């Protein structure tokens, strides 16, 4: 599995950095965002170092299915099923600050549109 020693989310996935984990599966992990933007703000990441959604290929079909299932499981577990937002930023122009694919699961307050 691809691992980048300089990547903060690889370090969390390896257990080398602390995180408040809410879901722990073979190929993915979900943990609380350190700087929450809503009452529920959880990040769902693959354990493998994939830089962003743009880097996903046909070969990631099973991982993608599992990520979607995990997002829905996190929403249920956090009590926001039926009313939450999923965001993933791709590249600096979109505000991606950690170059390891992560899906923000946000909920627990009214969400505005369009996002900034
Ligand atoms: P993005 O700007 O889309 O790349 O999102 C990165 C997110 O990761 C931000 O919401 C940060 O608050 C969050 N974050 C950065 N480092 C950590 C960490 N060590 N543990 C939990 N969340 C983090
Ligand atoms: Zn990584």
């Amino acid at each position: 599995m691809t691992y980048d020693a300089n990547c903060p989310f690889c370090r969390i996935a390896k257990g080398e950095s602390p995180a408040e984990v809410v879901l722990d599966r073979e190929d993915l992990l979900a943990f609380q965002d350190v700087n929450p933007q809503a009452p529920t703000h959880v990040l769902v990441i693959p354990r493998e170092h994939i830089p962003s959604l743009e880097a996903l290929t046909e070969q990631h079909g099973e991982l993608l299915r599992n990520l979607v299932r995990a997002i829905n499981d996190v929403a249920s577990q956090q009590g926001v099923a039926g009313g939450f937002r999923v965001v993933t930023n791709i590249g600096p122009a979109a505000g991606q600050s950690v170059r390891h694919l992560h899906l923000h699961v946000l909920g627990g307050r009214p969400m505005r549109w369009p996002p900034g």
Side-chain angles (χ1 to χ4, degrees), residues 29-81:
L29 203 63
F31 53 91
Q32 302 283 0
D33 195 293
V34 279
N35 183 22
Q37 301 302 313
T40 294
H41 190 172
V42 171
L43 302 176
V44 179
I45 69 164
R47 289 185 178 278
E48 181 184 352
H49 182 81
I50 298 169
S52 79
L53 190 86
E54 227 177 7
L56 289 175
T57 68
E58 290 285 326
Q59 292 172 357
H60 295 109
E62 189 183 354
L63 173 64
L64 196 46
R65 267 197 304 281
N66 293 343
L67 287 168
V68 172
R69 189 178 300 124
I71 286 167
N72 288 325
D73 290 346
V74 164
S76 295
Q77 178 204 85
Q78 300 291 316
V80 297

Side-chain angles (χ1 to χ4, degrees), residues 8-9 12 18-19 31-35 41 43 89 95-98 102 104:
F9 289 178
I12 287 174
F31 53 91
Q32 302 283 0
D33 195 293
V34 279
N35 183 22
H41 190 172
L43 302 176
N89 295 318
Q96 186 180 10
S97 60
V98 179
H102 50 282
H104 298 257

